[in-house]
Amino acid sequence: GKSVWIAVQVFGKPVSACPAIDADLKASIDNAKKILAEMEAELQAKKAELDAMEAKYGDAYNQRVNEYNALVQQYNTLLEQTRLQTNEYNAEVAAFNSCAQPD
C-alpha cells in the first residue's frame, strides 16, 4: 500500500539520428533484378535457337549471333551496375545498423 518512485535513465538516440537508407536505391536494385531475370530468360531462348540451327554459318546465323552478343553485353552492363548499386546499398544498411546498435 505504499507509493514507490522509480527513476529511469535512458541512454539512446533516436533512429532519425542514424544515416538514412535510400529507398529509391533499393527500388532501383529490385527493378534491375527483375529486368536481369527477363533478359536471362531471353538469352537462354536465343542460345537454344542458335544451338538448334542446322547451319552454323551464313548471314542468318551471324545475325542471330550478333543479336545474342549484343544482349549479353547489355545484360553484363546492367549486372555490373546492379552489383555496384547493391554494394552501395549494403554500405548504407551497414552504416545504419552500426549507428542503431546499442553501445
Side-chain angles (χ1 to χ4, degrees), residues 58-76:
D59 291 340
Y61 181 77
N62 289 337
Q63 181 179 348
R64 286 193 172 87
V65 167
N66 289 337
E67 291 170 3
Y68 177 81
N69 288 339
L71 187 57
V72 167
Q73 185 176 7
Q74 291 173 0
Y75 178 89
N76 287 338

Side-chain angles (χ1 to χ4, degrees), residues 9-76:
Q9 187 173 7
V10 177
F11 296 95
K13 58 184 158 192
V15 173
S16 61
C18 295
I21 298 171
D22 188 350
D24 291 338
L25 181 58
K26 173 71 168 122
S28 176
I29 292 167
D30 290 342
N31 186 52
K33 286 181 179 181
K34 180 181 173 186
I35 293 169
L36 285 167
E38 292 168 358
M39 289 175 79
E40 186 173 350
E42 187 177 352
L43 282 168
Q44 289 174 355
K46 286 185 179 292
K47 176 76 166 87
E49 182 182 328
L50 285 170
D51 291 343
M53 290 183 77
E54 290 293 322
K56 305 289 188 211
Y57 57 89
D59 291 340
Y61 181 77
N62 289 337
Q63 181 179 348
R64 286 193 172 87
V65 167
N66 289 337
E67 291 170 3
Y68 177 81
N69 288 339
L71 187 57
V72 167
Q73 185 176 7
Q74 291 173 0
Y75 178 89
N76 287 338

